[in-house]
């Protein structure tokens, strides 16, 4: 497997900062961890990954609130945030990445195919984005990997830029249609 371009950049940045990373993946089924570990030298920063496809696994292994899962389903921003934070705790890593969404072919949890939430939790706080992705099942999954790696890159950029305020300690929620910040 050739190293994923976005993964190569974030792995280099993680190595430079001495930060470790773990993944909590639902719809991507391990593709984020595979992209990261395709990069030579990734063993210096990648702690591991948890594929939590079933909702009960999201709750029992990664600590996602079962009441939230029952009320909202697995495809929502708070679940993505809790997955990212949960994997940080379980794998004892500095950065947690999460993907949850609907790859298709059919809608799920009342959400359309292509509805995806990605999150990156780290020293910058928690970043979460909602995406309305297009394409077939594999395209949605591949685009989800790209989206979470871009989000990680943004979190790492926040650290580089040493921006005070936004991005530190709180949640930033962005949608492809509507960018806004939410207070925790």
């Amino acid at each position: 497997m050739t190293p994923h371009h976005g993964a190569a950049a974030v792995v280099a940045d993680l190595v430079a900062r001495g930060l470790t990373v773990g993944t909590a993946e639902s719809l991507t089924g391990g593709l984020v961890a595979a992209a990261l570990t395709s990069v030579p030298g990734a063993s210096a920063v990648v702690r591991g990954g948890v594929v939590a496809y079933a909702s009960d696994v999201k709750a029992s292994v990664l600590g996602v609130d079962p009441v939230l899962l029952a009320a909202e389903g697995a495809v929502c921003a708070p679940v993505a945030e809790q997955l990212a934070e949960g994997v940080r705790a379980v794998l004892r890593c500095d950065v947690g990445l999460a993907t949850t969404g609907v790859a298709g072919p059919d809608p799920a949890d009342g959400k359309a195919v292509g509805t995806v939430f990605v999150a990156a939790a780290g020293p910058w706080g928690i970043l979460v984005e909602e995406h309305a992705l297009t394409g077939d099942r594999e395209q949605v999954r591949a685009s989800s990997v790209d989206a979470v790696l871009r989000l990680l890159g943004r979190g790492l950029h926040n650290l580089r830029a040493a921006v005070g305020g936004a991005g530190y300690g709180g949640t930033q929620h962005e949608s492809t249609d509507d960018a806004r910040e939410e207070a925790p």
Side-chain angles (χ1 to χ4, degrees):
M1 178 176 186
T2 352
H4 184 283
H5 175 67
V10 295
V11 165
D13 212 351
L14 289 164
V15 168
R17 299 187 179 308
L19 297 174
T20 57
V21 65
T23 64
E25 302 183 61
S26 187
L27 84 151
T28 50
L31 295 174
V32 177
L36 290 169
T37 58
S38 73
V39 178
S43 60
V45 295
V46 177
R47 295 271 303 148
V50 175
V51 175
Y53 213 64
S55 288
D56 64 298
V57 174
K58 289 173 179 70
S60 65
V61 175
L62 293 169
V64 175
D65 181 359
V67 175
L68 171 66
L69 287 166
E72 300 293 325
V75 183
C76 64
V79 168
E81 293 171 12
Q82 289 183 22
L83 286 169
E85 282 292 351
V87 81
R88 282 179 81 190
V90 169
L91 298 181
R92 297 183 321 276
C93 50
D94 301 306
V95 175
L97 302 179
T99 61
T100 186
V102 185
D106 301 313
D109 286 343
K111 303 289 188 340
V113 172
T115 303
V116 172
F117 291 86
V118 294
W124 53 80
I126 306 172
L127 301 173
V128 63
E129 290 177 342
E130 177 178 4
H131 293 272
L133 303 173
T134 58
D136 65 19
R137 181 175 173 79
E138 291 313 307
Q139 290 168 320
V140 168
R141 287 163 37 102
S143 294
S144 299
V145 172
D146 293 340
V148 78
L149 292 176
R150 278 194 312 273
L151 190 60
L152 171 56
R154 198 170 103 218
L156 292 167
H157 176 77
N158 283 355
L159 290 179
R160 269 196 311 279
V163 176
Y168 289 83
T171 298
Q172 287 187 359
H173 177 195
E174 291 195 5
S175 169
T176 50
D177 304 317
D178 172 47
R180 67 183 192 279
E181 275 189 42
E182 293 180 6

